[in-house]
Amino acid sequence: MRRILALMAALAFGAIGSVAVAGPATAAPTCSATVRTLIPSPSPTGWAENLTYDAAGNLWVTRSLDSTVARYDRNNRLTATVPVTAPGAIRTGPRGKLYVTSGNSATNMLPVGPLTGTIVTIDPRAPRPVAKPWARGLGMPNGLAFDKAGNAYVSDSRLGVVRLKPNGSIDRRWSAAAPKNVAPTATVNGTGINGAAIDGDTLYVTLTTSLTGRVIAVPLAHPERARAVADLTAPLPGLVDDLAVIGPSKLAVTTTLGQLYVVNVRTGSSCAVNVGAPLTAVTATPGDPTRLVVASENGTVYVVRL
């Protein structure tokens, strides 16, 4: 459903007119990589939306359709499930807590109705972890990243890029200058701002639907200076989901058409791994950036070894 709505929005956006692309329209070469299943899908509704590791090495997976966050130990055994309504991104934030976006559903992407999206926290060290509210007033909070000062950056597929202060309140001045979800420009050439990842002083975000499969760089100090840094699917439109930093100026980016892209934003070079399933998110294994763990819409979690 979310992809259908996003495609409709992209087609409407494309009718507005053409926009500039960041670079030449060339297909990415194939990365040298292996792919295997790490965790099979638990059910037909097991959609794995996002994932991250905690400090103890447990893997946490958000399962949007089941409204749960699942914890797996180092042997890939399910050890806990935490109820969270339509969870999206999950990240480690201040004080070692896990932060989870909630309300990641297609209905919240529509530009009408109340802002019911939230962010909750989970203490990964608790014997029986539970979700507690931390931030409110969001639309469809999708991607999430934290800077060193404890500010949270939300890729909200309704509102655009939003910054939250360490107390969970919206930094409205910063957010007003950041890219919006539906605002046709040479940089925002699509809709559904989705993933979020920080490398140094730059936030990288993706567009669920884009004329070129675009990745956008947003300087943390100057959000009004956002620029395009990669067009992964040009000259074709792209269905890009989440992303992760896997090295200096190096990103891994997922698409719902089944490709995992590895991009050097400094040189513009990229390659792609065809995983063969609609991909939603990626994270690097702690201590091994060549071992990427990837979530999918079919609920399976994969390992991609570069």
Side-chain angles (χ1 to χ4, degrees), residues 78-300:
L78 180 66
T79 58
T81 57
V82 183
V84 175
T85 302
I90 181 168
R91 295 289 182 268
T92 299
R95 298 174 297 281
K97 291 183 179 180
L98 294 174
Y99 291 71
V100 186
T101 63
S102 175
N104 184 46
S105 65
T107 54
N108 286 345
M109 187 177 181
L110 300 174
V112 294
L115 297 173
T116 59
T118 66
I119 295 178
V120 300
T121 64
I122 297 172
D123 184 350
R125 297 156 294 193
R128 297 179 180 273
V130 296
K132 299 180 179 180
W134 179 68
R136 303 181 187 276
L138 299 169
M140 180 185 167
N142 207 334
L144 179 64
F146 285 89
D147 65 18
K148 294 179 180 179
N151 298 299
Y153 298 81
V154 182
S155 287
D156 190 311
S157 296
R158 174 174 170 180
L159 302 178
V161 182
V162 177
R163 181 161 83 173
L164 303 178
K165 300 176 183 179
N167 64 2
S169 65
I170 296 176
D171 186 334
R172 299 194 181 278
R173 181 176 180 181
W174 189 98
S175 302
K180 303 295 180 292
N181 186 48
V182 183
T185 69
T187 300
V188 183
N189 71 338
T191 189
I193 291 176
N194 192 318
I198 291 177
D199 184 16
D201 59 0
T202 303
L203 169 70
Y204 293 96
V205 300
T206 58
L207 298 169
T208 303
T209 56
S210 162
L211 299 178
T212 54
R214 177 153 290 181
V215 179
I216 298 172
V218 183
L220 298 182
H222 296 283
E224 72 281 0
R225 299 179 186 175
R227 68 190 189 283
V229 293
D231 289 316
L232 301 177
T233 62
L236 299 175
L239 291 170
V240 183
D241 210 300
D242 206 2
L243 76 168
V245 175
I246 59 172
S249 302
K250 194 174 183 179
L251 305 175
V253 187
T254 59
T255 77
T256 58
L257 296 181
Q259 289 77 40
L260 174 69
Y261 285 87
V262 178
V263 187
N264 187 315
V265 295
R266 183 175 298 168
T267 65
S269 63
S270 65
C271 63
V273 180
N274 185 18
V275 178
L279 305 180
T280 54
V282 56
T283 188
T285 302
D288 188 356
T290 68
R291 184 181 185 272
L292 306 181
V293 182
V294 187
S296 71
E297 290 182 9
N298 64 25
T300 301

